[in-house]
Amino acid sequence: MIPIKNLKFLIIAFILLFPAASKAQKVDAAKEFKSAALQTSYMLTEISNTDTSKGVVSPRTFENGKFKMEPPSDWTSGFFPGILWFLYEYTKNEKWLDEAKKFTAKIEKEQYNKTTHDLGFMIYCSYGNAYRLTKDENYKKVIIQAARSLSTRFNEKAGVLRSWDHNKEKWEYPVIIDNMMNLELLFEVTKLTGDSSFYNIAISHANHTMKNHYRPDYSSYHLVDYDPETGAVIKKVTVQGYSDESAWARGQAWGLYGFTMCYRETHDKKYLVQAQNIARFIFTNPNLPKDLIPYWDYNDPAIPNAPRDVSAATITASALYELATYCKGSDYRQKADIILRNLSEKYKAPINTNGDFILLHSTGHKPAKSEIDVPIIYADYYYLEALLRSKGLSNYQDRTH
Ligand code: GLY
């Protein structure tokens, strides 16, 4: 038995020490930006040594010992320019501004691309950050055109934007959870133009996704196939996850980020509640490791011998910093701090290795045996965004409600 006096002392000591303990959880953003900048400098050299004669412009991954770059039309083409904008934002070093401008310009023609829903990723992560940081009208024009192109993929009957055009024999009108991320571009362009049609498409897509993509436990299906004539749901399946009924980790992260962003843009409480419910699914999941870096799918029976997906962790951390601003008294910020600290301590690529990506251990498309346990550009993008958000340097409007 501990005497009452000693017990009191222990409790007081814990209360006094707790702020220090929680402070120790925090990542050192200045140190991480310094190392990210160094690694990215090496990546620029890697790019200049790469054969780009086939039109590749943007790094994507380092797989099987090879540095891989993609053409402007790849869904990941906007992330590297975005990373350069983030480095400029944090360091204010003109070197990054010049590189950011150069790599952003390489994907300009994608503003007219009507064959993919990924235009939000491609244009908003590149031109969106470019316009936010420079207010250059030329960037604004590209963003507006991209929203027009993306809007052509909206079907009134189904109430959603079509995700993919490929595999027409498999699906009628496929919508993947990732598509929530592309709505940010539409919300932004309503603000830039005053044309509410983009906003209306975004909320229709979000509402249908909330209704049709989510299970009672607030985990998300990967793909919902709609009948474009009637709007009826035909089937709910997976492409990148373990099984149709499983919870693919990155999909849960896209949803968390997407609904948090929808709340920011609309102030509609139902999106906030949805984001909170998704966060609860993630953080009460028995298969979430102690370091909060998820396995690639929460339901892979191979866990704990399954690959992690660091990209899911970085997207989640970035979303949590924003969600925390809407949920005073929550532990979302602490969770994001823990994720960033663990990533910075245990998941970073040593400098000038692994294609000079910042983080290791992401999983792109396991069922296709592609990009398993590798560095991936979008993991790095959301890592830097989360680091900026951890410092209150935000690329979203931190609104008070
Ligand atoms: N949007 C594609 C992916 O998350 O892999």
Side-chain angles (χ1 to χ4, degrees), residues 75 118 121 176 178 240 248 250 254 364 378:
W75 82 273
D118 286 322
F121 284 115
I176 57 172
D178 323 29
Q240 281 169 259
W248 173 53
R250 195 158 57 255
W254 290 141
Y378 44 89

Side-chain angles (χ1 to χ4, degrees), residues 60 75-76 117-118 121 164 176 178-179 222 240 248 250-251 254 311 315 363-365 371 378:
R60 173 167 169 151
W75 82 273
T76 62
H117 72 134
D118 286 322
F121 284 115
W164 295 333
I176 57 172
D178 323 29
N179 210 340
H222 180 212
Q240 281 169 259
W248 173 53
R250 195 158 57 255
W254 290 141
S311 75
I315 298 157
T363 296
H365 192 340
E371 298 177 339
Y378 44 89

Side-chain angles (χ1 to χ4, degrees), residues 120-296:
F121 284 115
M122 294 149 78
I123 297 297
Y124 204 63
C125 297
S126 54
Y127 281 84
N129 281 309
Y131 181 64
R132 178 175 64 84
L133 293 169
T134 65
K135 295 290 174 242
D136 181 332
E137 287 292 306
N138 291 316
Y139 290 141
K140 181 169 149 182
K141 283 184 201 146
V142 174
I143 298 168
I144 293 170
Q145 177 54 47
R148 289 202 184 105
S149 299
L150 179 56
S151 300
T152 64
R153 300 182 67 77
F154 185 69
N155 173 304
E156 293 278 350
K157 286 257 170 56
V160 281
L161 292 150
R162 183 187 185 110
S163 291
W164 295 333
D165 290 350
H166 55 78
N167 285 308
K168 289 209 162 88
E169 70 295 347
K170 283 193 188 160
W171 313 295
E172 289 283 324
Y173 195 90
V175 177
I176 57 172
I177 186 63
D178 323 29
N179 210 340
M180 283 300 299
M181 300 294 285
N182 295 308
L183 307 183
E184 196 167 8
L185 169 71
L186 301 178
F187 283 123
E188 175 68 13
V189 170
T190 280
K191 286 185 279 186
L192 293 177
T193 61
D195 177 350
S196 61
S197 64
F198 304 106
Y199 180 99
N200 292 336
I201 290 174
I203 56 168
S204 172
H205 186 98
N207 293 343
H208 282 82
T209 301
M210 200 156 90
K211 179 162 167 249
N212 296 322
H213 257 86
Y214 281 85
R215 305 182 182 104
D217 65 357
Y218 295 97
S219 67
S220 166
Y221 286 92
H222 180 212
L223 185 153
V224 175
D225 191 21
Y226 290 85
D227 180 333
E229 305 303 327
T230 65
V233 170
I234 300 171
K235 61 185 172 195
K236 304 183 182 192
V237 294
T238 198
V239 178
Q240 281 169 259
Y242 173 76
S243 70
D244 291 344
E245 291 301 324
S246 74
W248 173 53
R250 195 158 57 255
Q252 314 315 307
W254 290 141
L256 177 69
Y257 191 118
F259 283 104
T260 302
M261 174 271 297
C262 283
Y263 177 62
R264 176 215 311 157
E265 298 297 339
T266 62
H267 301 189
D268 187 334
K269 222 59 215 229
K270 69 173 182 276
Y271 300 132
L272 179 65
V273 172
Q274 181 75 5
Q276 290 170 317
N277 283 329
I278 299 169
R280 196 177 54 243
F281 171 82
I282 293 173
F283 291 102
T284 60
N285 196 293
N287 281 339
L288 180 68
K290 283 214 162 45
D291 68 1
L292 308 187
I293 315 301
Y295 296 100
W296 74 286

